[in-house]
Amino acid sequence: MNLLLLNVLVVVYLLVTLYLGYRGWVTTRDTEGYMVAGRKIHPYIMAMSYGATFISTSAIVGFGGMAGLFGMGLLWLTFLNIFVGIFIAFIIYGKRTRRMGYNLGAMTLPELMGRRFDSQFIQWFSGLVIFLGMPLYASVVLIGAARFMETTLSIDFNLALLIYSLIIAAYVVWGGLKGVMYTDAMQGTVMFLGMIFLLIMTYLHLGGVTAAHQALTDMANLVPQSLAAQGHRGWTSMPALGSAWWWTLVSTVVLGVGIGVLAMPQLAVRFMTVRSGRELNRGVLIGGVFILAMTGVAFDVGALSNVFFHATQGKIAIEVAKGNADSIIPVYINAAMPEWFVYLFMLTLLAAAMSTSSSQFHAQGTAIGRDIYETLTGKKGTGSILVTRAGIIVAVVIAVVLGYILPENIIARGTSIFFGLCAAAFLPMYTCALFWRRATRAGAIAGLVTGTFSSVLWMVFVHKKEAEALGISRFIFGRDVLITQMPWPVVDPIVVALPLAFLVTIVVSILTRPPDTAHLDRCFKGIK
């Protein structure tokens, strides 16, 4: 390995990143600039920032590794990512979010919901959910980057995690959202090029598209008995309908992330950074192509890594990775790709991790500074920005600590947990706020609380993956889960919590006094 060349590439990349963060800092002069980038961002920067924030090392390393385990079925998530996460998000949700945010002077998703329903509780409680729930998601993104650095550079995982976190904290704390979005756009471009090269190199290694996919289909008989018993039927087939693996793939991975993207606070705020709906229209194609190149390639290559490892080592991918799906993509890259590409892909992963981490930390900081501190104290201005910056530093520290202690095979699962929590807590309230004038404050609060606590309780007492790890159910009731009858222990919380929260929001709104007409006219001004 040419460490000199690698170090030069990394240093140049980091200098460019810090410079763009600096540019964000020198052009940020007020709270609006720090929170929503002045509402004048170019559509390319907005779309690439949205995509780069959405797609992280959890998608490339974590979900790519899951594709090595589950197979091509994860491509359904790519479909939802593009249709829901880009088209519906930009055209249907994004335009209304941008306009209503402008009408109400809102700078965060919790603030938008709080002002739409005239409720301080909604704003600070939503901010609390973000600040307490996002560290798990932030930490798994850090883990994905650090794992690749550990595998590629043979450096200590803990050291890689610490260095990486300090660099991100430096430009997020000072640059605000504008600095984050500038660096996101650059990092997204690097990610796109890296993934396109990865796809081409993989098919060249495996003899072309047709030969590679046929070889993967022919490997169905190599599925380990332990996985076949749970419903695994091969890497080009969906798991057996209704099996444990089918429920995990469909409810946790595909629906949890595919639907949850609509309610992600760090993504929704991007819609408030552009001048008009035209910029969102222009961003759809850019975002759609980007997401296809990111998730489609990661899932395709993750599944096809089984063909490579079987041909070269006589083992399937999860066996080569010693049971840790999070290591499949890093091990494959280092084993199958030329040295120069390993360098390029390392920059790709650094870009993916940094773009997502910076947005996560910014969202957590604004949740503390804008949504909790300002709402509870009534103090605004410079003081809240200082609290926001302090909140970012605290968020980084929490994520790093979790990165040290979380177990293996956590990257994809940690991502799904937070996406599912956001969907259950925010999506019913957010949807009704934008599209239903009759939605009331009481209905929004009821849905927010119901979605949050039903999702958490299902994870603690019913969903086996989390319930076993947490041990709360066993401590209180003497058993890992309260419902043992299949399929409930493998049904993701989003399947139960999201419909329940929607139902509660609608029913309570119907049963309570309609909101003030003048306030609604202000909220929906200019929205057709």
Side-chain angles (χ1 to χ4, degrees):
M1 176 174 291
N2 190 335
L3 289 179
L4 177 61
L5 175 60
L6 179 58
N7 288 331
V8 169
L9 289 174
V10 171
V11 168
V12 170
Y13 168 77
L14 294 178
L15 287 175
V16 173
T17 299
L18 291 173
Y19 170 75
L20 292 173
Y22 168 77
R23 289 289 303 165
W25 174 60
V26 296
T27 56
T28 297
R29 297 182 175 85
D30 52 25
T31 302
E32 186 176 60
Y34 194 85
M35 300 288 185
V36 290
R39 304 186 193 272
K40 298 177 182 178
I41 288 294
H42 189 277
Y44 176 82
I45 293 177
M46 187 281 298
M48 291 300 286
S49 175
Y50 181 98
T53 298
F54 183 9
I55 303 302
S56 66
T57 49
S58 65
I60 298 172
V61 175
F63 284 90
M66 290 295 286
L69 191 58
F70 280 90
M72 295 288 184
L74 261 78
L75 288 173
W76 281 107
L77 178 56
T78 297
F79 169 75
L80 280 185
N81 286 161
I82 296 173
F83 181 68
V84 176
I86 298 295
F87 180 76
I88 291 180
F90 279 47
I91 300 300
I92 299 178
Y93 280 77
K95 290 183 177 181
R96 286 176 174 252
T97 299
R98 188 205 66 80
R99 186 63 194 183
M100 190 175 290
Y102 177 79
N103 291 343
L104 299 177
M107 300 184 194
T108 67
L109 180 62
E111 185 175 31
L112 176 63
M113 296 299 96
R115 294 191 177 187
R116 161 64 175 87
F117 293 108
D118 193 22
S119 169
Q120 289 189 336
F121 173 83
I122 286 177
Q123 184 172 351
W124 73 255
F125 186 85
S126 298
L128 192 63
V129 171
I130 293 168
F131 190 79
L132 295 180
M134 192 174 281
L136 175 62
Y137 179 30
S139 67
V140 300
V141 173
L142 299 184
I143 290 171
R147 285 295 178 203
F148 189 79
M149 293 171 70
E150 176 189 41
T151 304
T152 304
L153 301 179
S154 299
I155 63 175
D156 181 69
F157 169 78
N158 296 328
L159 180 61
L161 192 66
L162 181 61
I163 293 173
Y164 166 79
S165 302
L166 289 175
I167 292 171
I168 294 175
Y171 72 82
V172 177
V173 167
W174 300 109
L177 187 59
K178 189 177 290 186
V180 169
M181 294 185 74
Y182 285 168
T183 56
D184 282 353
M186 181 273 291
Q187 290 158 349
T189 303
V190 173
M191 292 162 61
F192 182 84
L193 295 174
M195 295 303 285
I196 294 299
F197 275 121
L198 176 61
L199 183 67
I200 294 171
M201 296 295 292
T202 295
Y203 281 124
L204 288 176
H205 262 299
L206 301 181
V209 176
T210 302
H213 287 263
Q214 185 60 54
L216 187 62
T217 300
D218 294 341
M219 289 177 61
N221 63 310
L222 299 177
V223 173
Q225 185 57 42
S226 60
L227 300 184
Q230 298 180 63
H232 199 314
R233 299 192 300 178
W235 290 273
T236 56
S237 301
M238 287 290 287
L241 182 65
S243 65
W245 271 49
W246 186 89
W247 277 105
T248 299
L249 176 62
V250 173
S251 71
T252 300
V253 178
V254 176
L255 290 181
V257 177
I259 301 298
V261 62
L262 287 175
M264 296 299 286
Q266 72 273 27
L267 297 181
V269 74
R270 262 67 183 166
F271 303 138
M272 303 183 202
T273 65
V274 294
R275 292 178 182 272
S276 68
R278 290 192 300 273
E279 277 77 6
L280 293 174
N281 289 337
R282 293 163 64 187
V284 169
L285 179 61
I286 298 169
V289 172
F290 180 83
I291 297 298
L292 177 62
M294 293 299 105
T295 62
V297 171
F299 302 161
D300 189 53
V301 170
L304 290 172
S305 68
N306 287 281
V307 178
F308 173 81
F309 287 126
H310 183 254
T312 57
Q313 300 185 36
K315 299 178 181 179
I316 61 174
I318 195 64
E319 292 172 341
V320 175
K322 299 179 181 178
N324 184 6
D326 294 344
S327 295
I328 289 177
I329 292 296
V331 171
Y332 170 72
I333 296 297
N334 282 279
M337 297 294 130
E339 187 174 302
W340 66 266
F341 183 81
V342 175
Y343 302 159
L344 173 62
F345 197 75
M346 181 178 174
L347 293 183
T348 300
L349 285 188
L350 281 176
M354 283 186 166
S355 58
T356 300
S357 295
S358 60
S359 298
Q360 291 168 334
F361 296 141
H362 183 270
Q364 290 176 84
T366 56
I368 285 291
R370 184 76 174 181
D371 300 319
I372 298 176
Y373 173 79
E374 285 192 8
T375 301
L376 296 180
T377 66
K379 298 179 180 179
K380 300 180 182 295
T382 305
S384 67
I385 292 182
L386 291 176
V387 174
T388 295
R389 285 172 169 160
I392 291 171
I393 294 172
V394 172
V396 172
V397 171
I398 294 173
V400 170
V401 171
L402 286 175
Y404 290 145
I405 64 178
L406 286 173
E408 295 181 341
N409 291 310
I410 190 62
I411 297 178
R413 182 67 205 134
T415 302
S416 298
I417 288 173
F418 184 69
F419 272 66
L421 175 62
C422 283
F426 303 141
L427 189 55
M429 171 178 65
Y430 182 32
T431 302
C432 291
L434 297 179
F435 300 99
W436 191 31
R437 293 171 64 97
R438 182 63 176 77
T440 66
R441 178 195 306 166
I445 292 174
L448 170 62
V449 173
T450 298
T452 300
F453 286 104
S454 60
S455 183
V456 171
L457 290 174
W458 193 268
M459 282 189 282
V460 172
F461 295 110
V462 180
H463 198 240
K464 191 174 180 179
K465 283 280 188 181
E466 291 80 38
E468 279 187 343
L470 293 171
I472 297 174
S473 180
R474 175 161 290 279
F475 177 77
I476 298 175
F477 300 105
R479 51 183 178 174
D480 290 329
V481 294
L482 296 185
I483 305 175
T484 58
Q485 183 178 357
M486 285 292 291
W488 299 114
V490 293
V491 172
D492 194 79
I494 192 175
V495 176
V496 177
L498 180 59
L500 182 61
F502 259 115
L503 178 63
V504 169
T505 303
I506 293 170
V507 170
V508 173
S509 291
I510 292 174
L511 296 177
T512 51
R513 183 178 177 179
D516 178 68
T517 302
H519 175 67
L520 288 178
D521 289 342
R522 180 187 171 209
C523 294
F524 285 89
K525 181 181 178 180
I527 298 177
K528 298 179 181 179

